[in-house]
Amino acid sequence: MGAYSKPVVLRRTLLSAAANLAVAAISRSTAARASPAQEHRLTVRAGAASLVGKSRPQTSVWTYDGSIPGPLVRVRQGESVRIVVHNKLDQDTTVHWHGIRLPIAMDGVPGISQPPIRPGQSFTYAFTPPDAGTFWYHPHANSLEQLGRGLAGAVIVEEPEPPRVDRELVWMVMDWRLGADAQIAPGFGNRMEAAMAGRIGNTVTINGVIPGDEYVRAGERVRIRLINATLARIMALRFEGHRPTVVAVDGQPCEPHEPADGRLLLGPAMRSDIVLDLQGEPGHRYAVIDDFYEGLEYTLTQLAYDTMAPARSPHVGQTARLPHNPLPDPDLPSAEPRELVLQGGMMGGMGSMRGMGRATWAINGMSMTGDGHAGMPPLAILRTGRSYVLKIRNDTAWWHPMHLHGHSFRVLRRNGETVPNSVWSDTVLLAPKDVVDVAFVADNPGDWMLHCHVTDHQTAGLMAVLRID
Ligand code: C2O
Ligand code: CU
Ligand code: CU
């Protein structure tokens, strides 16, 4: 496992000779440890973190191994990994490996794929990630509170031949609702919020701290792995003075492209790998701005250029393309259509909520609440090996990042228009009234959750099970 704050140096062009030696030594020892069945241990426990700076009080949080975010799990594509999770919370938990195509028994949904990990108990997750990419892990038990109190970490599955960049950064974004005392505000599961945009916080962190400047050097090429690990916050990032190239979406490689209008949209649970050529002026600062919510735009961080003369990176200007992952291509002519209609929520601002009993949201009139539990009837039964096109129709006035476990799907069309750049995802963001077609091969048998990743929406009914038989 690794750290987030230390950038991972992949090429030595920009380092001093002494640093080169140190890095070489570290990477050799990492390689030596990366034998088949790497074993990691993760302890889930309460802790404290300096989210808002060393001069302010620490925040009481729930952690993996005492750190926010949890340890970075770094594995190689196609190599097996074992992670022993020990629960020291006083409530049940599980770990879900978001976006990784793994067997159902390792999916971390309590009551469906495994019994919950009771306080004091352990569970061993063992799987072999087939795809390289940027993934993450989080609980699937009491999700709203456990994720909201800090339980999340990144998983990087390395390509055998990573694309050539000078440095790699991981930006794990989390969002907190803190009081003046820097403590997490109570009120998880507020019904009004659940019927609207969900629990959006007032403090955004990158890798567990309110971001200061990101120090860069002119002339470098960096890869940034962005992970939105918030409960509910949608982000639209603009890189002032820069032109990011998206090379992967939700861990899966795509045609390298610039985001539409230069705004990188990232809903909860979504990831984006970007390649950034740092062509700014030495000594200058450039803001990275999130302007998703009208009137609430803020500067997430700043790219702060060193005053050194530009580096002459050999990688800048090359096409940055990631190697393909072994995804099964859906057979579109024979694919069976299925329709999923997202329903509920507060109608147009102050309107009334639809009468749906305890649940606020539904898919095709069915509401599964909480985190997934035994006895949930499946919304649809799919046949192993067949291709399906899911038409997801957002009949609500709200945004929803819709996530399917155990598979990645090809995003075909949005509102009837072809989605360019061969985008595969595990979480697709729907604007109000959007209709999105996605296609996939149901090649992984099991009962798989399909839910909105705005956690309040999930737990208030925007969730279903797809059974693959
Ligand atoms: Cu990150 Cu059920 O999902
Ligand atoms: Cu998932
Ligand atoms: Cu939603």
Side-chain angles (χ1 to χ4, degrees), residues 361 398-402 452-454 457-458 462:
W361 303 92
W398 303 90
W399 291 74
H400 305 290
M402 296 303 298
C452 178
H453 226 291
V454 168
H457 294 177
Q458 173 204 330
L462 207 47

Side-chain angles (χ1 to χ4, degrees), residues 8 79 85 94 105 120 205 255 273 275 348 353 404 463 467-468:
V8 181
E79 282 186 1
V85 175
T94 59
T205 57
E255 279 299 312
D273 285 41
V275 166
M353 215 181 328
L404 173 63
M463 176 162 60
R467 173 167 298 163
I468 299 180

Side-chain angles (χ1 to χ4, degrees), residues 76-397:
R76 295 219 193 129
Q77 183 174 21
E79 282 186 1
S80 59
V81 56
R82 283 166 58 85
I83 299 156
V84 184
V85 175
H86 185 58
N87 182 10
K88 285 194 173 172
L89 293 180
D90 55 15
Q91 59 182 258
D92 294 354
T93 193
T94 59
V95 180
H96 171 60
W97 309 92
H98 184 117
I100 299 182
R101 299 188 294 135
L102 40 63
I104 186 70
M106 297 293 128
D107 196 45
V109 179
I112 290 199
S113 70
Q114 66 168 92
I117 314 174
R118 307 275 183 212
Q121 294 189 346
S122 297
F123 186 90
T124 301
Y125 294 92
F127 52 88
T128 304
D131 303 320
T134 305
F135 304 97
W136 67 298
Y137 61 96
H138 62 77
H140 227 285
N142 190 16
S143 298
L144 193 48
E145 190 172 5
Q146 292 193 10
L147 180 55
R149 290 193 183 279
L151 289 173
V155 182
I156 292 180
V157 183
E158 289 178 344
E159 298 90 9
E161 298 263 350
R164 289 161 178 250
V165 295
D166 299 299
R167 286 194 299 139
E168 181 181 297
L169 303 169
V170 181
W171 287 2
M172 178 104 179
V173 179
M174 297 171 80
D175 176 43
W176 313 80
R177 184 176 294 173
L178 302 180
D181 55 356
Q183 298 313 306
I184 295 170
F188 288 99
N190 171 305
R191 279 208 64 177
M192 183 67 97
E193 238 163 33
M196 301 175 75
R199 182 176 162 112
I200 296 171
N202 53 17
T203 305
V204 175
T205 57
I206 294 182
N207 303 340
V209 290
I210 292 180
D213 290 344
E214 183 72 62
Y215 291 97
V216 297
R217 180 169 177 196
E220 284 182 297
R221 167 170 279 195
V222 295
R223 174 185 187 169
I224 307 180
R225 298 177 186 261
L226 283 156
I227 304 171
N228 182 341
T230 71
L231 286 177
R233 180 182 287 276
I234 302 169
M235 298 190 294
L237 299 181
R238 281 189 297 114
F239 289 74
E240 215 181 57
H242 293 75
R243 301 175 67 176
T245 300
V246 178
V247 295
V249 173
D250 288 351
Q252 302 295 351
C254 58
E255 279 299 312
H257 65 279
E258 288 187 32
D261 309 317
R263 271 169 112 229
L264 189 71
L265 263 184
L266 214 58
M270 295 168 66
R271 289 90 64 213
S272 192
D273 285 41
I274 60 170
V275 166
L276 202 57
D277 285 337
L278 295 159
Q279 307 288 45
E281 291 284 320
H284 285 227
R285 281 188 159 71
Y286 300 84
V288 179
I289 293 161
D290 175 4
D291 66 1
F292 181 78
Y293 300 100
E294 224 182 291
L296 295 174
E297 72 168 57
Y298 65 100
T299 297
L300 176 65
T301 182
Q302 300 200 84
L303 302 175
Y305 277 73
D306 201 297
T307 51
M308 276 191 284
R312 280 192 304 270
S313 164
H315 314 307
V316 169
Q318 316 256 2
T319 316
R321 188 185 296 275
L322 299 178
H324 289 292
N325 280 327
L327 291 161
D329 238 322
D331 182 51
L332 296 179
S334 73
E336 282 183 37
R338 289 282 190 279
E339 191 169 62
L340 301 172
V341 184
L342 315 183
Q343 301 153 319
M346 200 74 96
M347 302 306 291
M350 289 286 103
S352 62
M353 215 181 328
R354 289 182 184 177
M356 287 202 295
R358 248 181 53 75
T360 307
W361 303 92
I363 303 179
N364 294 357
M366 290 171 78
S367 294
M368 294 172 174
T369 55
D371 296 280
H373 44 79
M376 277 187 171
L379 182 78
I381 300 180
L382 310 182
R383 272 197 293 138
T384 305
R386 279 203 74 97
S387 295
Y388 291 87
V389 172
L390 303 181
K391 184 180 284 296
I392 312 175
R393 191 182 288 282
N394 182 3
D395 259 5
T396 80

